[in-house]
């Protein structure tokens, strides 16, 4: 698993966009008081359920792998030329 250049910032954006998606879809709300781990897991599982991302293998469902998967997902959603996609 190759780490992305702005992975931490991409993850923050993925959580923000994922929370909006979750709320609009009617799958629940993410509160500011929820832990980062809970946010990541909830958004990851919803995206897998909706077939927007491919699930990790059964033994690979760890928080670092979910974080990376969310960062990859959002990097594909951002428009070309976005500051987080620059090298």
């Amino acid at each position: 698993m190759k780490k992305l250049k702005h992975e931490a910032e991409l993850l923050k954006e993925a959580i923000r966009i994922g929370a909006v998606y979750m709320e609009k879809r009617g799958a629940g709300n993410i509160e500011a008081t929820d832990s980062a781990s809970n946010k990541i897991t909830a958004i990851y599982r919803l995206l897998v359920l909706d077939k927007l991302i491919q699930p990790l293998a059964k033994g690979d469902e760890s928080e670092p792998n979910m974080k990376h998967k969310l960062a990859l997902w959002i990097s594909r959603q951002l428009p070309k030329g976005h500051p987080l996609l620059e090298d």
Side-chain angles (χ1 to χ4, degrees):
M1 166 173 73
K2 184 182 174 193
K3 189 165 174 130
L4 301 170
K5 181 151 183 154
H6 299 285
E7 191 159 334
E9 293 89 352
L10 286 168
L11 179 62
K12 280 179 151 180
E13 186 68 6
I15 291 171
R16 187 183 72 76
I17 299 293
V20 171
Y21 174 74
M22 181 180 264
E23 189 173 330
K24 284 187 178 181
R25 187 185 175 281
N29 292 336
I30 290 187
E31 303 294 330
T33 57
D34 292 341
S35 71
S37 178
N38 287 344
K39 292 176 188 177
I40 290 164
T41 302
I43 294 168
Y44 167 78
R45 293 214 170 123
L46 179 64
L47 294 175
V48 167
L49 182 69
D50 289 351
K51 297 182 178 168
L52 296 176
I53 60 174
Q54 188 171 3
L56 293 162
K58 294 265 187 216
D60 290 338
E61 279 193 356
S62 64
E63 189 174 326
N65 288 344
M66 284 189 242
K67 286 179 177 181
H68 184 71
K69 202 73 154 159
L70 289 177
L72 284 173
W73 167 71
I74 200 65
S75 71
R76 293 183 183 120
Q77 306 305 313
L78 295 173
K80 287 185 180 180
H82 192 281
L84 292 178
L85 300 178
E86 294 175 2
D87 291 336

